[in-house]
Amino acid sequence: MPRPNPRLVMKFGGTSVRDLARIRNAAEKVRAEVERGYDVAVVVSAMAGETNKLVGWVREASAGPEGGAAFYDAREYDAVVAAGEQVTSGLMALTLQQIGVPARSWQGWQAPLRTNAAHGAARIEAIDTDALDRKFEEGLHAVIAGFQGIGPDGRIATLGRGGSDTSAVAFAAALGAERCDIYTDVDGVYTTDPRMEPRARRLDRISYEEMLELASLGAKVLQTRSVELAMRYRVRLRVLSSFEEGPGTLVCDEDEIGEDSMESRVVSGVAFQRDEAKVTLLGVEDRPGVAAAIFGPLAEAGVNVDMIVQNISEDGRTDMTFSTSEDDLPKALKALETARETIGMREIVSDRDVAKVSVVGIGMRSHAGVAQKMFAALAREGVNIKVITTSEIKVSVLIDRKYLELAVRALHDAFGLHAA
Amino acid sequence: MPRPNPRLVMKFGGTSVRDLARIRNAAEKVRAEVERGYDVAVVVSAMAGETNKLVGWVREASAGPEGGAAFYDAREYDAVVAAGEQVTSGLMALTLQQIGVPARSWQGWQAPLRTNAAHGAARIEAIDTDALDRKFEEGLHAVIAGFQGIGPDGRIATLGRGGSDTSAVAFAAALGAERCDIYTDVDGVYTTDPRMEPRARRLDRISYEEMLELASLGAKVLQTRSVELAMRYRVRLRVLSSFEEGPGTLVCDEDEIGEDSMESRVVSGVAFQRDEAKVTLLGVEDRPGVAAAIFGPLAEAGVNVDMIVQNISEDGRTDMTFSTSEDDLPKALKALETARETIGMREIVSDRDVAKVSVVGIGMRSHAGVAQKMFAALAREGVNIKVITTSEIKVSVLIDRKYLELAVRALHDAFGLHAA
């Protein structure tokens, strides 16, 4: 038996396959990896704009001409929307063939990627790679329609928006790929948003844990779910640009960072979210179940709650503060007013002009004083801190929105993140 | 066991599902049949324009940026192009649900409709209706993506352009449907093209055989292949308009026409093809194999040959005449010049200004004199006949193109086809 080739998963998002010229550009990148000796599984999104068009049609068909209720059958949503990736997969296979790379497309139901029954937002249950393995042995590279699989009912099931990243990681795990390269429109993960701080630096490597904190905090490079999956199966992820040459950023186990990184850094990045809102419930009865009485109605109203802080209790009463997005604030206030009696509180105070800034880094686990250094840097700039929360590798604060740029730059500087 | 409902297949072509308003219009027609007590299987084409867009992308991807060879991988063509019907099937199911008709979409691979391995122009081998039957029992009507099935390789296989009609007939046969209604943009089959003869009349009924002759001669209402399939499985086809109310035309067994038709007509219609060309090879050696020597090279060159006439032989030489489309004429002449030596002939004469007119009718089997009546009618108008061919239910002539309208109207009148 000849030794099988190492395998690589390469995922191209919607902007990277927007038209046939871009599909060809992506195909050239695949050819380069094939020439390096890899068996490649390409995972593709729908061409940019296609998914939105199809979702729009689904909504319109479901609503009827008078624009009725927005309910729609998730199975049919899946059948319609999955067509977007199906088209790209075929076009990518044809383009690869045209430039001399033998390739074959695979739909979610063909691979198959098996999901649970949650149509429209299905979870991956298993991937059977036997058929793919056989085709690799025949020298046929794979082009896989991302974002989709087949449910227990034998019907197409999609993984929810952005699910193509998750497909790619799942295939990388199942195929035992050396790496999963995510091609996108940014050239890697930065220490902060370069539009905010021009001296922001691309990170060569970042741990899964840091990436999760950065992604959920607004770096918006990779879908959180795909990073979680990569972490669980130890899939090395590389984020890189379809449009510029460059090594991108490797998202990997923290051991791999320690090994060869010259950056024994404490903090990897400064993340932020501009449009936050803060809500404080004053004089809440301090009794068991009160948190549930507050956050239950918020969850039912579809409010995404981020930071939660409870101060110490005085005289059987406490103050409860949480943050949410500015968009969700009206919903949140309405839900709280409705539940006011049940909760038992004196007053609801809200502040819609706040922003959140976080410093993230695995190094802070072993380095004391990160929070202190952060607070000192903000104090030097006269930035008042309204709320603080911490996790093992992150410290976040809420501040007045007008100080956001100032705060990000001050922290980027204070933690030595500026480009050389 | 309750008695199962009678079944009906309803097929909507691309113009009938061009946008969501038209899909809804089609869905209302389905609801009307459901309310009449039918279990309905709706077969849909891609939205008008979608298939051409997808085929264009396939060609472009396969040709590369310099516009190389037109070869493309038929498996990938199928994966891309089948997405068009997939989208419509989901949207139709959603629209039916929205107007209160329980419905579920089925892709070709799901039903499944099994085909042979001829990707891009696959033939139907079998349809397994067990899953559909079960869903009908649950009260779920079916929306089937037309034009596609699954090949022996487990991949999507399309049936070739216009294959949705063929899908519809095949499902009607497999489901034992009472009828297969083909909704299109004309309201039935006419005695001739109404743009040519305003007194043309819609036929209430027409036999499979007549329909085949009319379709292949230019009536362009139904794909020939679907009529052949309907004839073989005795599927009653009804052609009717998506946009106007009316009974349409029933395509059925000739017994069913005889039974209740007040029209014991000899001729059902006058078909024509405007852009024909005539080629005559003069002084061809009259020896075994000479026809093959002529038509072999033409077939290889992709020339569609229609009528073929060989005159009697004199002095070991004969004249061979055939007709083809004007478009194919240059290819035909080139192929014949190349093969001139092999064929052995004196001269090639061609005429590009001819048209073909045919009278079609099952009645002519039992009525002598149809050909004679046709020739007399043309002679009265001074139309010279260049070539004649006949089949059991058809007489066709080639004439000068400038006399086409005159000839069609004269024949329509002579055979009593004018509307009352």
Side-chain angles (χ1 to χ4, degrees):
Chain A
M1 279 276 292
R3 206 184 120 111
N5 293 328
R7 289 169 175 180
L8 185 67
V9 171
M10 301 173 75
K11 186 259 170 180
F12 294 93
T15 55
S16 303
V17 293
R18 179 191 294 279
D19 53 37
L20 291 168
R22 291 205 173 168
I23 289 175
R24 191 180 166 92
N25 173 61
E28 296 286 2
K29 292 183 187 297
V30 175
R31 180 165 65 178
E33 299 293 0
V34 167
E35 284 168 358
R36 283 189 194 104
Y38 286 106
D39 281 348
V40 177
V42 187
V43 175
V44 290
S45 297
M47 294 160 88
E50 283 295 306
T51 301
N52 286 341
K53 182 187 79 178
L54 295 170
V55 171
W57 282 346
V58 166
R59 293 214 172 112
E60 202 180 327
S62 309
E66 287 88 33
F71 164 80
Y72 49 78
D73 184 299
R75 285 180 181 80
E76 299 304 339
Y77 168 96
D78 283 352
V80 173
V81 174
E85 285 74 18
Q86 179 170 328
V87 169
T88 321
S89 69
L91 294 176
M92 176 63 86
L94 288 164
T95 306
L96 285 167
Q97 292 173 8
Q98 203 273 327
I99 63 171
V101 178
R104 178 60 66 228
S105 72
W106 299 82
Q107 307 312 311
W109 56 269
Q110 276 174 322
L113 182 155
R114 297 193 187 283
T115 72
N116 67 4
H119 282 277
R123 311 289 299 185
I124 299 170
E125 305 229 306
I127 294 178
D128 181 355
T129 64
D130 288 354
L132 282 161
D133 290 343
R134 277 197 303 275
K135 290 293 176 190
F136 278 140
E137 279 164 29
E138 292 172 24
L140 269 177
H141 301 275
V143 182
I144 296 163
F147 170 69
Q148 59 182 276
I150 185 164
D153 52 1
R155 301 189 60 83
I156 296 169
T158 66
L159 308 180
R161 293 306 288 265
S164 290
D165 285 352
T166 309
S167 292
V169 172
F171 273 100
L175 291 167
E178 196 175 289
R179 208 171 61 236
C180 178
D181 287 352
I182 308 278
Y183 284 85
T184 177
D185 45 8
V186 297
D187 71 343
V189 180
Y190 275 71
T191 50
T192 195
D193 186 336
R195 286 169 300 187
M196 183 80 96
E197 169 52 87
R199 286 171 295 181
R201 195 161 39 83
R202 185 183 51 74
L203 293 161
D204 284 330
R205 297 187 175 211
I206 189 171
S207 71
Y208 300 116
E209 291 84 352
E210 289 169 316
M211 190 65 207
L212 281 172
E213 295 288 8
L214 288 170
S216 62
L217 289 172
K220 291 190 186 76
V221 176
L222 276 176
Q223 226 213 347
T224 303
R225 190 172 156 200
S226 67
V227 180
E228 287 168 351
L229 195 66
M231 183 162 72
R232 185 167 347 136
Y233 290 98
R234 296 286 175 244
V235 172
R236 300 165 80 232
L237 274 176
R238 197 166 59 137
V239 176
L240 67 179
S241 167
S242 287
F243 311 113
E244 291 169 44
E245 289 301 314
T249 297
L250 187 72
V251 186
C252 57
D253 200 274
E254 72 182 82
D255 295 346
E256 205 180 339
I257 292 179
E259 272 170 23
D260 70 343
S261 175
M262 289 171 55
E263 327 166 30
S264 59
R265 67 206 177 211
V266 176
V267 163
S268 297
V270 180
F272 59 88
Q273 251 163 310
R274 182 182 296 274
D275 298 320
E276 292 288 282
K278 178 173 79 79
V279 178
T280 303
L281 310 188
L282 296 171
V284 174
E285 284 180 45
D286 191 9
R287 58 175 166 82
V290 72
I294 295 168
F295 295 104
L298 291 171
E300 277 165 35
V303 173
N304 279 311
V305 170
D306 181 10
M307 306 165 89
I308 299 174
V309 182
Q310 184 179 352
N311 288 352
I312 53 159
S313 175
E314 276 178 58
D315 310 327
R317 294 264 165 183
T318 184
D319 300 336
M320 184 81 83
T321 298
F322 66 91
S323 69
T324 183
S325 69
E326 199 181 349
D327 287 347
D328 278 1
L329 182 62
K331 272 194 294 189
L333 293 176
K334 194 173 160 209
L336 291 171
E337 276 302 338
T338 308
R340 189 168 192 142
E341 289 303 307
T342 331
I343 299 168
M345 60 177 147
R346 205 175 63 233
E347 202 181 341
I348 303 174
V349 181
S350 66
D351 181 353
R352 56 169 68 244
D353 288 318
V354 296
K356 177 174 163 187
V357 184
S358 308
V359 296
V360 173
I362 46 171
M364 67 176 73
R365 284 202 197 107
S366 50
H367 286 72
V370 169
Q372 193 280 327
K373 193 170 181 177
M374 181 182 190
F375 304 154
L378 294 173
R380 271 199 303 278
E381 303 293 338
V383 177
N384 188 37
I385 297 171
K386 297 172 166 243
V387 174
I388 302 169
T389 58
T390 60
S391 76
E392 208 181 352
I393 64 165
K394 181 184 68 171
V395 183
S396 301
V397 297
L398 278 189
I399 60 174
D400 275 334
R401 195 175 296 158
K402 64 184 174 187
Y403 295 126
L404 177 62
E405 285 78 3
L406 180 66
V408 169
R409 289 180 194 151
L411 294 172
H412 200 264
D413 192 16
F415 287 100
L417 296 173
H418 284 356
Chain B
M1 280 276 290
R3 204 184 121 109
N5 294 327
R7 291 170 174 179
L8 185 67
V9 170
M10 300 173 74
K11 186 260 170 179
F12 294 94
T15 55
S16 303
V17 293
R18 178 192 294 279
D19 53 36
L20 291 168
R22 290 205 173 170
I23 289 175
R24 190 179 166 93
N25 173 61
E28 296 286 2
K29 292 183 185 295
V30 175
R31 180 164 66 177
E33 298 293 0
V34 166
E35 285 169 357
R36 283 189 193 103
Y38 285 107
D39 281 349
V40 177
V42 186
V43 175
V44 290
S45 296
M47 295 161 88
E50 284 295 306
T51 301
N52 286 341
K53 182 187 79 178
L54 295 170
V55 171
W57 282 347
V58 165
R59 294 216 172 111
E60 202 179 328
S62 309
E66 287 87 33
F71 163 82
Y72 49 79
D73 184 299
R75 286 180 180 80
E76 300 304 339
Y77 168 97
D78 283 353
V80 173
V81 175
E85 285 75 18
Q86 178 169 329
V87 169
T88 320
S89 69
L91 294 176
M92 176 63 85
L94 289 163
T95 305
L96 285 167
Q97 291 173 7
Q98 203 272 328
I99 63 172
V101 178
R104 178 60 65 229
S105 73
W106 299 81
Q107 306 313 311
W109 56 268
Q110 277 174 322
L113 182 156
R114 298 193 187 283
T115 73
N116 68 4
H119 282 278
R123 310 290 299 185
I124 299 171
E125 305 228 306
I127 294 179
D128 181 355
T129 64
D130 288 355
L132 283 160
D133 291 343
R134 277 197 304 275
K135 291 293 176 188
F136 278 139
E137 278 164 29
E138 292 171 22
L140 268 177
H141 300 276
V143 182
I144 297 163
F147 171 67
Q148 58 181 277
I150 185 164
D153 53 0
R155 301 189 59 83
I156 296 167
T158 66
L159 308 180
R161 292 307 287 266
S164 291
D165 285 352
T166 308
S167 292
V169 172
F171 274 100
L175 291 167
E178 197 174 290
R179 208 172 61 237
C180 178
D181 286 353
I182 308 278
Y183 283 85
T184 176
D185 46 8
V186 297
D187 71 344
V189 180
Y190 275 72
T191 50
T192 195
D193 187 336
R195 286 168 300 187
M196 182 81 96
E197 169 51 86
R199 286 170 296 181
R201 197 163 37 85
R202 185 182 50 72
L203 293 161
D204 284 329
R205 298 188 173 208
I206 189 171
S207 70
Y208 300 116
E209 291 83 352
E210 287 169 317
M211 189 66 207
L212 281 173
E213 294 290 5
L214 287 170
S216 62
L217 288 171
K220 293 190 185 77
V221 176
L222 277 176
Q223 225 213 347
T224 303
R225 190 172 156 199
S226 66
V227 180
E228 286 169 352
L229 195 65
M231 183 163 73
R232 185 168 345 137
Y233 291 99
R234 295 289 174 242
V235 172
R236 299 164 81 233
L237 273 176
R238 196 167 60 138
V239 177
L240 68 179
S241 167
S242 286
F243 311 113
E244 291 169 42
E245 290 300 315
T249 297
L250 187 72
V251 186
C252 57
D253 200 274
E254 73 183 81
D255 295 346
E256 207 181 337
I257 294 179
E259 272 168 23
D260 70 343
S261 173
M262 289 171 55
E263 328 167 29
S264 60
R265 67 206 176 211
V266 177
V267 163
S268 297
V270 180
F272 59 88
Q273 251 163 309
R274 184 183 296 274
D275 298 318
E276 293 287 282
K278 177 172 80 76
V279 178
T280 303
L281 310 188
L282 295 171
V284 175
E285 284 178 47
D286 191 10
R287 56 173 168 84
V290 72
I294 295 169
F295 295 104
L298 291 171
E300 276 164 35
V303 174
N304 279 312
V305 170
D306 181 10
M307 305 163 89
I308 298 174
V309 182
Q310 185 180 350
N311 288 351
I312 53 161
S313 175
E314 277 178 59
D315 311 324
R317 295 263 164 184
T318 185
D319 301 335
M320 184 81 83
T321 298
F322 66 91
S323 69
T324 184
S325 68
E326 199 180 348
D327 287 347
D328 278 1
L329 181 63
K331 271 194 295 189
L333 293 177
K334 194 173 160 209
L336 290 172
E337 278 301 339
T338 308
R340 189 167 192 141
E341 290 302 308
T342 330
I343 299 168
M345 61 179 146
R346 206 175 63 234
E347 202 182 340
I348 304 175
V349 181
S350 66
D351 181 352
R352 55 169 68 244
D353 289 317
V354 296
K356 178 175 163 186
V357 184
S358 308
V359 297
V360 174
I362 45 171
M364 68 177 73
R365 283 201 199 110
S366 49
H367 287 71
V370 169
Q372 193 279 329
K373 193 171 181 177
M374 181 183 191
F375 304 153
L378 293 173
R380 272 198 303 277
E381 303 293 339
V383 176
N384 188 35
I385 298 170
K386 296 172 168 247
V387 175
I388 303 169
T389 59
T390 60
S391 77
E392 208 181 353
I393 63 165
K394 180 184 69 169
V395 183
S396 301
V397 297
L398 278 189
I399 59 174
D400 275 335
R401 195 175 296 158
K402 63 184 175 187
Y403 295 127
L404 178 62
E405 286 78 3
L406 180 67
V408 169
R409 289 178 194 153
L411 294 171
H412 200 264
D413 191 17
F415 287 100
L417 297 173
H418 284 357

